[in-house]
């Protein structure tokens, strides 16, 4: 694989949030935002941790950012004895480059300050030893001078709904070492230890300020001379072990020198890329964009865990409460299945292990079975607020119904389990709790059914489909069909278990006493209301959708009184129109693609594409898939690129009022991979065999990639006919 380098010369403060996302490094345990070393919480610097959350007061519960060991500032001593910071954006500079080396998982900055000092820093989140972070910095002076380096372990972290640390102590202050132990409001501990070295003789002072521990290193450089500084840090939490501080200290003391860490980090990335890299012959920009997407998916994959999932904004911060959405199973899972099936299993185990939380949520709403969290944190706790949007006009929280009404979330979990079994041929998850999830999912949908005395159908009322702008609708086609899928899968897997693993089936039947319910699931699968389909094949998104005002997306946009105004909800500009936020019917036609013909796909693609705002990064890839499915790869191409470039281009919404909602977009990254695999390559599973039916854009000469199907490595090599 050739190196892909993402670069910017910008250090414009307005671009900082997006640069922090674009240049993110991570290893599944933590993500380090791509901010410069001199930045702190004001510039959204963060070391975001996977799977550990905290609530402060009445604020939203969100994931933790660890004390940041990468805070580093260089100063030049002036003749009057004062220290002038060589820090962006204030210090004058002649040249500045920030880069992400995608193949090697490295973040670099190279700044030539106008005073003649060059400042180069490289840093990594170790891909194998996931608790370790490392940094190597070089300062080179054109003219002789006195310098000072301040290396800070910065506990004054960026929080959206913090502060999350109620106590912080710095117990290991000693020369060449720092350490901090921070205790959260919920009683968890996060410990960070680091050791450093400077290549030139220096005087060192270590100071503890409030929530910061700082090493101040004075040194002198002759003209043309360089000093280099390395720092190795370890992060542990009370979720990892009983004594995180001791673990972090031991990890730092036992860690090898920077060069050795760099070599093992590179080797680990090389192995991952051997599996994941996709070659697109004839289109370097598309190849780069897709592999950058895959870089992000690899950087957040929980390879170190056996039951953990990936948040909707990856490890780029606290947006969306660091929670797991349907994004993982519906948009990202196929990449992990194809490239790292063990990770796919880890993601699904997370859902099996959070079944209790889903049961509790169902009970809370007076329902049976498992109602999975719309925004799932550990244990299946639903972090989604009843007031998830702030009205721009009144500044008041708006009642939203994502938590209560996006009942399709449970079907995403079932769909993920089904994909796992089908792709890997490994049915162990059914026996390890997956079948239990299915039964509880079927119970959940069954308890939601509405039966009208004068109608034969069963219905699902008062739901929100993937298109969040239309709240509390009846018989959303996507939701109904995915619920039917759940009933059918439950029946199928139960029959399979009874046949192939009678003991496991018996134990399950004893535990859940579900056998008498199977007939009612069968009935429900048959009687659940089918979508209304017009003679031309267009499927109505929900009851009454066709009667809504038929108007263009631009016309709706023109009605906004404020660019940040929410389009959905009770009074949203889109709510009474046919304009939708994101692919809805089209998502259904992809997910259950074996049930629909090309004519249906064509009619719905042509109808809904024009009415879709793509207000979610989950949307474009679904239309790319549909366009491929109807033999229009040229139309699919820009939609595919929109998904693949989501974090390269940024431009999505970053702020809602005072709340930061930006971050990386792993579902779009996963969606780009879906578009490649099931769209352009036309992958199909026929009788357990993989087949391709390529429909490549004209400029692509071919595509090559590897994937792991049913335990076997396969190389897909497809040429333009
Ligand atoms: O899951 C999505 C949802 O479909 C649209 N809003 C953002 C969520 C997280 O990505």
């Amino acid at each position: 694989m050739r190196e892909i380098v993402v670069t910017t010369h910008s250090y414009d403060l307005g671009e900082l949030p997006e640069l922090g996302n674009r240049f993110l490094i991570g290893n599944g345990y933590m993500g380090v935002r791509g901010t410069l070393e001199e930045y702190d919480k004001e510039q959204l610097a963060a070391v975001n941790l996977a799977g550990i959350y905290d609530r402060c007061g009445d604020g939203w519960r969100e994931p933790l950012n660890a004390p940041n060991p990468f805070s580093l500032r260089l100063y030049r001593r002036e003749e009057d004895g004062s220290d002038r910071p060589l820090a962006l954006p204030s210090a004058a500079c002649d040249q500045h480059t920030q880069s992400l080396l995608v193949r090697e998982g490295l973040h670099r900055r190279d700044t030539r300050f106008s005073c003649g000092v060059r400042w180069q820093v490289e840093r990594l989140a170790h891909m194998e030893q996931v608790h370790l972070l490392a940094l190597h910095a070089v300062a080179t002076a054109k003219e002789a001078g006195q310098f000072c380096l301040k290396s800070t372990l910065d506990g004054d972290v960026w929080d959206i709904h913090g502060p999350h640390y109620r106590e912080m102590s710095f117990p290991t202050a000693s020369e060449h070492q720092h350490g901090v132990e921070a205790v959260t409001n919920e009683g968890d501990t996060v410990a960070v230890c680091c050791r450093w070295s400077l290549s030139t003789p220096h005087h060192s002072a270590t100071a503890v300020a409030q929530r910061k521990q700082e090493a101040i290193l004075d040194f002198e450089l002759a003209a043309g001379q360089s000093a280099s500084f390395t720092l190795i840090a370890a992060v542990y939490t009370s979720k990892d072990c009983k004594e995180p501080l001791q673990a972090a200290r031991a990890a730092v003391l036992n860690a090898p020198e920077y060069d050795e860490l760099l070599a093992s980090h590179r080797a680990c990335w090389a192995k991952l890329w051997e599996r994941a890299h996709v070659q697109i012959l004839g289109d370097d920009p598309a190849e780069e964009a897709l592999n950058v997407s895959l870089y992000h998916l690899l950087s957040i994959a929980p390879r170190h865990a056996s039951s953990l999932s990936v948040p909707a904004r990856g490890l780029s911060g606290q947006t969306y409460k660091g929670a797991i959405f349907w994004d993982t199973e519906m948009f990202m899972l196929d990449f992990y299945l194809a490239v790292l099936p063990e990770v796919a299993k880890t993601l699904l185990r997370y859902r099996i292990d959070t079944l209790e939380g889903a049961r509790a949520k169902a009970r809370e709403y007076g329902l049976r079975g498992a109602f999975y969290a719309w925004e799932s944190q550990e244990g299946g706790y639903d972090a989604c607020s009843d007031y998830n949007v702030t009205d721009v006009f009144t500044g008041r929280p708006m009642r939203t119904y994502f938590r209560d009404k996006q009942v399709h979330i449970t079907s995403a979990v079932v769909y993920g389990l089904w994909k796992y079994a089908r792709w890997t041929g490994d049915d162990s998850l059914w026996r390890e709790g997956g079948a239990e999830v299915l039964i509880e999912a079927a119970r959940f949908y069954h308890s939601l059914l509405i039966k009208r005395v004068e109608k034969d159908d069963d219905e699902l009322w008062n739901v929100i489909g993937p298109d969040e702008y239309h709240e509390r609708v009846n018989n959303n086609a996507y939701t109904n069909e995915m619920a039917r899928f759940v009933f059918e899968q439950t029946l199928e897997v139960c029959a399979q278990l009874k046949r192939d693993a009678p003991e496991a089936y018996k134990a399950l039947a004893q535990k859940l006493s579900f056998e008498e319910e199977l007939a009612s699931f069968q009935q429900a699968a048959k009687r659940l209301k089918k979508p209304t389909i017009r003679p031309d094949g267009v499927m109505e998104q929900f009851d009454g959708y066709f009667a809504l005002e038929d108007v263009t997306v631009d016309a709706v946009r023109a009605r906004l009184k404020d660019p940040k105004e929410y389009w959905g909800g009770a009074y949203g500009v889109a709510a009474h129109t046919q304009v939708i936020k994101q692919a809805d019917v089209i998502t259904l036609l992809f997910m259950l693609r074996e049930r629909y013909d090309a004519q249906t796909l064509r009619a719905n693609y042509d109808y809904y594409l024009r009415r879709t705002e793509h207000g979610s990064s989950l949307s474009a890839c679904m239309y790319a898939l549909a366009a491929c499915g109807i033999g229009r790869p040229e139309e699919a191409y820009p939609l595919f690129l929109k998904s693949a470039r989501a974090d390269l281009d940024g431009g999505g919404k970053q702020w809602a009022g005072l709340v930061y909602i930006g971050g990386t977009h792993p579902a779009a990254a996963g969606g780009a991979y879906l578009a490649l695999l099931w769209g352009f390559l036309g992958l199909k599973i026929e009788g357990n065999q993989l087949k391709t039916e390529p429909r490549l854009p004209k400029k692509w000469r071919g595509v090559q990639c590897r994937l792991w199907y049913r335990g076997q490595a396969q190389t897909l090599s497809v040429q333009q006919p």
Side-chain angles (χ1 to χ4, degrees):
M1 174 187 175
R2 69 191 164 85
E3 185 55 283
I4 297 172
V5 187
V6 179
T7 52
T8 184
H9 302 295
S10 170
Y11 48 95
D12 184 312
L13 285 181
E15 279 188 57
L16 284 186
E18 294 204 356
L19 296 181
N21 301 327
R22 195 181 309 159
F23 291 91
L24 185 111
I25 53 173
N27 57 21
Y29 179 82
M30 56 193 156
V32 182
R33 288 180 57 78
T35 51
L36 301 179
E37 291 69 28
E38 54 269 51
Y39 294 166
D40 58 23
K41 65 176 187 178
E42 301 303 329
Q43 292 84 23
L44 316 188
V47 177
N48 184 244
L49 300 178
I52 180 164
Y53 301 89
D54 181 69
R55 184 197 298 280
C56 172
D58 291 335
W60 289 351
R61 195 164 181 266
E62 59 192 13
L64 296 175
N65 288 329
N68 178 14
F70 277 166
S71 171
L72 190 64
R73 274 174 171 250
L74 180 64
Y75 298 80
R76 190 188 158 90
R77 189 142 299 156
E78 299 296 294
E79 277 170 9
D80 63 3
S82 64
D83 284 338
R84 179 150 61 107
L86 298 180
L88 294 176
S90 53
C93 95
D94 299 333
Q95 212 182 317
H96 167 73
T97 309
Q98 182 179 4
S99 38
L100 179 73
L101 281 69
V102 168
R103 190 184 58 184
E104 296 171 298
L106 294 173
H107 178 275
R108 283 190 188 151
R109 67 93 57 89
D110 184 353
T111 309
R112 290 169 192 266
F113 291 102
S114 306
C115 64
V117 175
R118 184 173 183 188
W119 181 225
Q120 294 160 284
V121 186
E122 176 180 271
R123 63 193 199 206
L124 59 92
H126 202 279
M127 216 44 185
E128 202 165 32
Q129 298 179 57
V130 295
H131 294 277
L132 294 185
L133 299 170
L135 171 153
H136 177 71
V138 179
T140 309
K142 219 174 184 175
E143 289 168 20
Q146 298 278 341
F147 295 88
C148 170
L149 198 57
K150 288 188 187 162
S151 169
T152 309
L153 181 49
D154 188 358
D156 192 11
V157 301
W158 170 42
D159 281 322
I160 297 180
H161 295 275
H164 291 293
Y165 298 119
R166 68 171 143 83
E167 279 167 36
M168 203 170 274
S169 54
F170 295 90
T172 57
S174 71
E175 204 180 353
H176 304 288
Q177 277 177 43
H178 278 159
V180 60
E181 189 173 44
V183 181
T184 69
N185 301 305
E186 293 189 12
D188 276 309
T189 302
V190 176
V192 183
C193 290
C194 36
R195 69 164 214 248
W196 71 86
S197 63
L198 184 70
S199 60
T200 64
H202 62 278
H203 321 286
S204 170
T206 305
V208 179
Q210 216 192 358
R211 298 202 157 224
K212 287 180 203 279
Q213 187 173 45
E214 199 156 67
I216 301 163
L217 311 174
D218 295 316
F219 59 97
E220 204 173 310
L221 290 178
Q225 207 186 5
S226 296
S228 69
F229 172 84
T230 59
L231 178 135
I232 316 251
V235 183
Y236 276 83
T237 78
S238 44
K239 296 264 183 254
D240 304 316
C241 57
K242 279 208 178 103
E243 303 285 352
L245 183 66
Q246 282 174 22
R249 195 180 288 150
V252 143
L253 291 176
N254 295 329
E257 294 304 322
Y258 183 83
D259 285 347
E260 208 178 307
L261 276 177
L262 175 63
S264 53
H265 172 73
R266 280 184 167 138
C268 188
W269 266 107
K271 275 197 203 135
L272 290 169
W273 279 122
E274 254 176 52
R275 299 178 77 98
H277 178 231
V278 176
Q279 253 184 302
I280 300 179
L281 307 169
D283 191 351
D284 288 353
E287 179 178 301
E288 280 183 22
L290 180 63
N291 284 295
V292 169
S293 295
L294 306 188
Y295 161 84
H296 280 289
L297 291 170
L298 292 171
S299 300
I300 55 178
R303 291 168 302 118
H304 61 288
S306 61
S307 170
L308 192 63
S309 195
V310 174
R313 289 287 193 251
L315 298 175
S316 63
Q318 295 163 324
T319 307
Y320 288 141
K321 302 133 195 154
I324 320 305
F325 288 63
W326 70 314
D327 304 30
T328 312
E329 286 78 14
M330 302 313 252
F331 295 81
M332 304 177 213
L333 187 70
D334 296 48
F335 168 75
Y336 295 120
L337 278 172
V339 171
L340 299 170
E342 267 312 306
V343 168
K345 199 169 190 177
T346 294
L347 302 176
L348 293 165
R349 276 207 208 94
Y350 167 83
R351 292 301 197 175
I352 293 174
D353 293 347
T354 51
L355 176 60
E356 264 334 299
R359 281 186 174 125
K361 182 174 166 188
R363 280 196 301 274
E364 186 190 328
Y365 287 90
L367 298 163
R368 298 183 66 225
F371 185 2
Y372 273 89
W374 179 243
E375 300 187 13
S376 183
Q377 295 184 345
E378 85 280 45
Y381 167 76
D382 199 337
C384 186
S385 157
D386 287 347
Y387 297 86
N388 235 19
V389 173
T390 304
D391 181 48
V392 285
F393 301 113
T394 60
R396 293 189 186 128
M398 282 165 72
R399 179 67 166 101
T400 46
Y401 294 89
F402 309 125
R403 183 186 198 272
D404 328 42
K405 303 298 175 193
Q406 287 214 50
V407 298
H408 66 82
I409 176 65
T410 289
S411 69
V413 175
V414 170
Y415 188 74
L417 287 163
W418 171 77
K419 281 197 288 192
Y420 178 85
R422 190 178 192 217
W423 181 270
T424 60
D426 165 17
D427 59 6
S428 60
L429 278 182
W430 297 134
R431 278 174 275 113
E432 292 162 19
E436 195 168 336
V437 169
L438 252 64
I439 291 160
E440 297 293 27
R443 280 179 171 163
F444 168 64
Y445 287 113
H446 196 265
S447 70
L448 273 174
L449 294 176
I450 300 276
K451 177 118 213 75
R452 287 199 273 173
V453 278
E454 77 281 14
K455 300 260 183 178
D456 290 336
D457 293 335
D458 291 348
E459 304 185 32
L460 285 174
W461 282 15
N462 202 1
V463 305
I464 303 181
D467 159 32
E468 294 174 327
Y469 288 164
H470 294 90
E471 296 191 348
R472 304 165 76 186
V473 300
N474 294 347
N475 295 311
N476 166 252
Y478 176 91
T479 308
N480 281 26
E481 290 310 303
M482 291 305 292
R484 192 188 320 282
F485 173 83
V486 169
F487 291 129
E488 291 167 355
Q489 273 314 302
T490 306
L491 294 165
E492 205 174 307
V493 170
C494 285
Q496 182 191 318
L497 264 190
K498 195 171 182 179
R499 190 185 60 229
D500 302 341
E503 286 308 312
Y505 179 82
K506 214 166 120 197
L508 193 63
Q510 259 167 14
K511 183 171 179 196
L512 298 184
S513 318
F514 64 87
E515 282 179 295
E516 286 182 6
E517 290 166 77
L518 292 177
S520 59
F521 297 161
Q522 198 155 22
Q523 283 274 317
K526 279 201 198 114
R527 293 161 64 123
L528 190 51
K529 186 169 187 266
K530 301 223 165 61
T532 304
I533 300 183
R534 298 195 320 194
D536 62 359
V538 179
M539 194 181 276
E540 190 170 40
Q541 189 176 294
F542 51 82
D543 290 353
Y545 171 85
F546 288 143
L548 297 177
E549 187 193 5
D550 198 7
V551 61
T552 64
V553 175
D554 285 344
V556 169
R557 189 175 286 110
R559 292 174 187 171
L560 292 175
K561 290 194 159 61
D562 183 306
K564 286 188 186 153
E565 195 181 327
Y566 184 56
W567 290 40
Y571 312 110
V573 282
H576 59 279
T577 77
Q578 291 192 30
V579 166
I580 60 174
K581 177 179 181 182
Q582 63 199 90
D584 193 305
V585 167
I586 290 299
T587 303
L588 165 67
L589 298 187
F590 167 66
M591 297 299 167
L592 301 184
R593 55 196 170 278
E594 283 148 25
R595 303 180 179 196
Y596 300 101
D597 59 20
Q599 164 51 27
T600 306
L601 192 55
R602 187 172 309 113
N604 285 283
Y605 169 83
D606 286 335
Y607 189 86
Y608 283 106
L609 180 60
R610 286 185 287 130
R611 291 165 176 81
T612 305
E613 187 229 347
H614 300 302
S616 157
S617 62
L618 279 53
S619 189
C621 57
M622 289 295 120
Y623 284 97
L625 281 152
C628 288
I630 54 174
R632 298 189 204 162
E634 302 309 322
E635 278 180 41
Y637 183 72
L639 293 159
F640 157 77
L641 273 190
K642 189 174 161 74
S643 294
R645 295 193 58 84
D647 291 323
L648 280 173
D649 293 340
K653 290 177 199 153
Q654 297 287 311
W655 296 91
L658 292 179
V659 179
Y660 179 66
I661 59 159
T664 55
H665 298 83
Y673 189 78
L674 292 177
L676 176 89
L677 219 59
W678 305 107
F680 295 122
L681 299 183
L683 195 70
K684 287 197 165 53
I685 303 177
E686 281 178 13
N688 289 344
Q689 297 296 313
L690 291 184
K691 300 255 160 62
T692 54
E693 217 173 83
R695 38 238 169 163
L696 305 183
K698 275 198 205 88
K699 69 166 139 175
W700 292 14
R701 283 189 280 108
V703 173
Q704 269 205 5
C705 61
R706 296 179 80 200
L707 39 86
W708 275 255
Y709 177 67
R710 297 196 163 232
Q712 301 290 320
Q714 302 212 6
T715 301
L716 290 190
S717 181
V718 161
Q719 266 81 45
Q720 185 73 262

